[in-house]
Amino acid sequence: MAGSKFRPDRGLTARMVMTMVLLFLVYVAFVFGLVLAGLNIWLVLVLVAAFALFSYFSSDRIAMFAMGAKEVTPQQAPDLHAMVDRLCAMADMAKPRVGIADTDVPNAFATGHSEKSAVICVTTGLMRRLDGPELEAVVAHELSHVAHRDVMVMTIAGFLGIVAGFLTQAGLRFAMFAGAGGGRSNNSGPAPAVVALLVVVVSALAWVLSFLLTRALSRYRELAADRAAAYLTGRPSVLGSALSKITGDMARIPTRDLRQAEPFNAFFFAPAFAKKGFSMNQLIATHPPVEQRLAQLSDISRQLGRGA
């Protein structure tokens, strides 16, 4: 956040550092476990490194493609670009790329592995539902993710889960194939099916741990982004109004559209749930409860009213 006028958040910084340290330890244990399960260490390192580099450098393009979003120029979306320009000037930060996703799901997200690759994207459904100040408050929320660099941390943190998930599926398929073929290895070592099952167990444990760590960080970073946006714009009640509108209208979105959006909940301003009335356990939720977010914004509004 060097040079940015978004309020620094030591709690977020500490959590990001802790998450990265813990994920590094999980990563080391993950590689060690796969080697003990019988995989060649160089194969494991090459595979993990390849997935890491691909995820890191392609995260913004993958997210944009999956959401059907396209980068737009100032000529294509002059009002949105003017809004981002104004907020970036207020925050004293470099302007990220701007994108629009053609979907009725009312949402916004930020992605990218660095400030130079960062992109802020809003949906057409969001722009239709919010008035100017409300949309500006949501965009400020997303810009704070870039300024806080938590988008980069989430991108890095997410790659281990991708690798572990891939190896879990591959191991299960190989175990089924090896089990169907029967027999043991020619050198009296463990049967291929046993090795594959060990890979599945190690990968599944790594996936669960990385999943829980990134979910915990995701919940806190949303509260931090709400606070940063509220203080930057000086209108926390407007952000609260936008949040209430979005979560209220989410129930009116077709289930098919919500299911397509659900995999990216961790990056969204507000989560999309395919099942109406579905409430996630706090341990695995990507966002804090709406009531908690609104209560925090109300507290900030009172502080600003007192001149704090």
Side-chain angles (χ1 to χ4, degrees):
M1 284 186 67
S4 170
K5 292 183 181 177
F6 276 111
R7 280 200 171 195
D9 194 308
R10 292 186 178 86
L12 177 61
T13 302
R15 283 168 172 79
M16 289 193 295
V17 171
M18 183 181 299
T19 298
M20 294 305 296
V21 170
L22 291 175
L23 280 173
F24 175 76
L25 295 177
V26 171
Y27 163 76
V28 172
F30 174 57
V31 172
F32 186 66
L34 291 180
V35 172
L36 288 180
L39 294 186
N40 181 280
I41 185 171
W42 295 112
L43 175 63
V44 173
L45 291 176
V46 169
L47 181 63
V48 172
F51 268 99
L53 291 172
F54 177 77
S55 175
Y56 182 74
F57 289 107
S58 304
S59 60
D60 53 329
R61 292 187 291 273
I62 293 173
M64 293 282 282
F65 176 79
M67 282 301 300
K70 294 182 179 180
E71 186 176 350
V72 292
T73 64
Q75 291 72 33
Q76 294 170 316
D79 293 340
L80 181 59
H81 268 273
M83 182 181 294
V84 175
D85 285 333
R86 183 166 59 253
L87 288 170
C88 288
M90 290 170 60
D92 192 20
M93 63 180 289
K95 180 183 178 182
R97 293 177 293 150
V98 179
I100 295 178
D102 187 13
T103 173
D104 196 43
V105 178
N107 236 314
F109 66 90
T111 186
H113 62 270
S114 66
E115 289 190 16
K116 290 183 178 179
S117 69
V119 55
I120 301 293
C121 183
V122 299
T123 67
T124 52
L126 185 73
M127 293 189 291
R128 281 196 298 270
R129 287 172 173 82
L130 302 186
D131 60 28
E134 290 171 337
L135 182 60
E136 184 175 75
V138 173
V139 172
H141 171 106
E142 297 303 327
L143 285 172
S144 76
H145 283 313
V146 178
H148 284 148
R149 295 191 174 90
D150 58 75
V151 170
M152 177 181 66
V153 173
M154 287 292 289
T155 298
I156 297 172
F159 95 86
L160 178 59
I162 294 174
V163 175
F166 171 79
L167 288 178
T168 301
Q169 293 181 10
L172 280 172
R173 290 172 182 169
F174 182 75
M176 293 173 62
F177 174 78
R184 296 178 57 83
S185 62
N186 294 330
N187 60 0
S188 72
V194 174
V195 173
L197 285 175
L198 287 174
V199 171
V200 169
V201 171
V202 172
S203 301
L205 287 174
W207 183 86
V208 170
L209 288 173
S210 63
F211 178 87
L212 294 177
L213 288 172
T214 53
R215 285 298 189 270
L217 176 60
S218 179
R219 291 191 294 273
Y220 188 88
R221 83 185 191 113
E222 293 303 328
L223 290 172
D226 283 346
R227 285 193 296 270
Y231 282 118
L232 180 71
T233 62
R235 294 180 292 185
S237 61
V238 175
L239 182 59
S241 174
L243 180 60
S244 296
K245 276 187 182 181
I246 292 170
T247 53
D249 284 356
M250 205 69 76
R252 302 184 180 92
I253 303 301
T255 300
R256 182 185 58 127
D257 294 341
L258 291 176
R259 282 179 180 155
Q260 290 177 346
E262 272 187 317
F264 300 93
N265 273 345
F267 291 93
F268 281 147
F269 172 73
F273 297 130
K275 295 179 181 178
K276 306 299 186 289
F278 180 76
S279 60
M280 296 189 73
N281 184 286
Q282 271 300 98
L283 189 63
I284 61 174
T286 57
H287 291 62
V290 174
E291 295 78 13
Q292 183 181 359
R293 296 176 70 178
L294 292 175
Q296 175 182 250
L297 291 171
S298 295
D299 289 341
I300 296 174
S301 186
R302 285 193 290 271
Q303 293 173 18
L304 294 177
R306 294 194 301 265

